[in-house]
Amino acid sequence: MTNKPYSQACENNKNYILPVLKQAFSASVKVLEVGSGSGQHAVFFAQQLDHLQWQTSDLLVNHEGINQWITEYPSTNLLTPVELNLEHTWPVDNVDAIYTANTLHIVSWSLVKRFFEGVQKHLASAGKLCIYGPFNYDGQYTSESNANFDIWLKNRDEQSGIRNIEDILILADIAGLTLKSDHEMPANNRLLEFVKSK
Ligand SMILES: C[S@@+](CC[C@H](N)C(=O)[O-])C[C@H]1O[C@@H](n2cnc3c(N)ncnc32)[C@H](O)[C@@H]1O
């Protein structure tokens, strides 16, 4: 029994995210996950969405934990992590789907911009992008818990913080993406589903 990293939030949200990915990625083949974290989403989604090839990625520091999850819950369609640091070029070929959860409020705004540049470069035409996490609307928090979470984030790293959906949509537009759906998720989170239209 390995001492794997564990995220309770992943266990709580994975069953809500799954039906959205099932529909959004129904015609996709290769998915790149940016910021796989513990690896819990990857092992679950790869098992549940077996028509996909699921490529995990993260900073090197998280690879051991992701590999522990993959070793314990292997799937033939699940690939061990590549080192994808948003500060650098992405070590991947083109994919037709990209998924990221709870990353855009963690990295700095300049890395959020780099994320969308990477999506523009690596996501095939008509490819899908799904982003899970909390967002603000009209510059307002959607709940008191998100407001408190934002304070907590900024105390930890002043460059992090909950992003305004309007700013995300501007970057998405520049990257050639159109918002197809803004899915409401439990615990004041959203799942933004984009399609690459340009
Ligand atoms: C809050 S965790 C989310 C992990 C997982 N997706 C989840 O939902 O539990 C944020 C993730 O962003 C990753 N991250 C932080 N800085 C990054 C960077 N510069 N490039 C790529 N990923 C980064 C972290 O390593 C971590 O896996």
Side-chain angles (χ1 to χ4, degrees):
M1 188 74 185
T2 52
N3 197 15
K4 303 186 300 303
Y6 180 80
S7 158
Q8 185 59 51
C10 283
E11 294 305 311
N12 296 346
N13 59 33
K14 66 184 187 182
N15 283 302
Y16 295 97
I17 296 172
L18 177 63
V20 178
L21 297 190
K22 200 173 260 181
Q23 167 269 119
F25 294 164
S26 61
S28 307
V29 177
K30 282 186 179 178
V31 183
L32 169 67
E33 181 182 14
V34 175
S36 297
S38 66
Q40 278 160 276
H41 275 171
V43 299
F44 179 70
F45 295 138
Q47 189 186 60
Q48 297 290 323
L49 305 169
D50 60 6
H51 66 288
L52 297 172
Q53 181 189 307
W54 193 279
Q55 174 66 65
T56 54
S57 83
D58 210 314
L59 305 179
L60 211 46
V61 68
N62 285 333
H63 285 203
E64 188 182 345
I66 296 167
N67 281 321
Q68 284 175 323
W69 276 90
I70 293 177
T71 302
E72 200 159 321
Y73 299 98
S75 295
T76 50
N77 60 328
L78 177 58
L79 302 177
T80 55
V82 291
E83 184 181 2
L84 194 161
N85 182 337
L86 293 169
E87 291 180 27
H88 306 301
T89 50
W90 295 15
V92 288
D93 293 330
N94 278 9
V95 291
D96 55 9
I98 294 177
Y99 168 73
T100 196
N102 290 318
T103 49
L104 301 191
H105 60 271
I106 296 294
V107 299
S108 64
W109 183 248
S110 70
L111 290 191
V112 175
K113 288 183 178 165
R114 298 285 290 272
F115 169 78
F116 279 97
E117 287 165 11
V119 172
Q120 180 172 24
K121 188 167 171 199
H122 292 281
L123 185 63
S125 181
K128 303 298 285 289
L129 166 68
C130 286
I131 304 175
Y132 175 89
F135 293 96
N136 290 337
Y137 292 74
D138 292 325
Q140 305 294 315
Y141 298 109
T142 59
S143 67
E144 200 181 327
S145 63
N146 276 5
N148 290 333
F149 180 49
D150 199 39
I151 292 169
W152 180 84
L153 285 168
K154 291 194 167 85
N155 281 338
R156 197 175 136 268
D157 174 0
E158 62 181 17
Q159 298 212 62
S160 67
I162 297 181
R163 308 302 173 191
N164 292 317
I165 182 94
E166 295 82 3
D167 297 333
I168 294 294
L169 295 182
I170 290 169
L171 296 185
D173 183 56
I174 293 167
L177 299 157
T178 304
L179 184 68
K180 206 160 170 270
S181 249
D182 174 0
H183 302 267
E184 187 172 0
M185 294 275 118
N188 307 300
N189 286 297
R190 314 295 301 185
L191 205 161
L192 309 179
E193 179 188 344
F194 295 94
V195 60
K196 191 147 180 228
S197 46
K198 289 183 223 160

